[in-house]
Amino acid sequence: MTASGVTATELAFAKTMAERDHAAFAAFIAEEAVFASGPTTLRGKAAVVAGWRKYFDAPAAPFSWAPDQVEVLPSGNLALSTGPVHAPDGKLIGRFTSIWRLEAPNTWRIVFDQGNSA
């Protein structure tokens, strides 16, 4: 899989926030995912999906993101994506780093995620 395929996956993942589609968000999360942002690390898909539910409750997305760098291992099984996180007004509020794993033919799922304040 190429970096462009992972970029497209990351953009589709971000689109779930913009479109307020929590179920679609959940489809991108690996069963053993670890999200290490905030005061408590979320371990496992159920914890990540439940922990992120609050970001989907309001009519407008509380933030947005897009990758500005994507790297894929030569094996094509793991990828890193990173980029800026913006507030609704466009202000840079942080950066994200995600690790994606190819779990099935052409199906990338996120296994690690961390956000940092700007």
Side-chain angles (χ1 to χ4, degrees):
M1 182 64 71
T2 65
S4 64
V6 177
T7 299
T9 299
E10 181 71 64
L11 291 171
F13 182 53
K15 189 176 179 183
T16 67
M17 177 67 70
E19 293 183 348
R20 320 308 294 133
D21 191 342
H22 188 249
F25 168 86
F28 287 92
I29 309 299
E31 287 299 325
E32 60 183 346
V34 175
F35 276 47
S37 298
T40 304
T41 297
L42 302 173
R43 297 182 182 278
K45 181 176 183 169
V48 171
V49 171
W52 274 62
R53 178 73 214 165
K54 64 187 174 196
Y55 300 124
F56 288 85
D57 288 342
F63 54 86
S64 63
W65 69 92
D68 61 9
Q69 181 181 1
V70 173
E71 301 292 339
V72 181
L73 289 180
S75 66
N77 295 323
L78 285 176
L80 173 137
S81 61
T82 187
V85 178
H86 292 101
D89 65 3
K91 179 182 176 188
L92 178 68
I93 57 172
R95 284 193 65 82
F96 75 91
T97 301
S98 301
I99 305 295
W100 294 85
R101 178 173 62 201
L102 192 60
E103 294 194 335
N106 299 317
T107 303
W108 287 95
R109 290 211 171 81
I110 193 166
V111 290
F112 289 103
D113 183 83
Q114 183 172 29
N116 296 297
S117 298

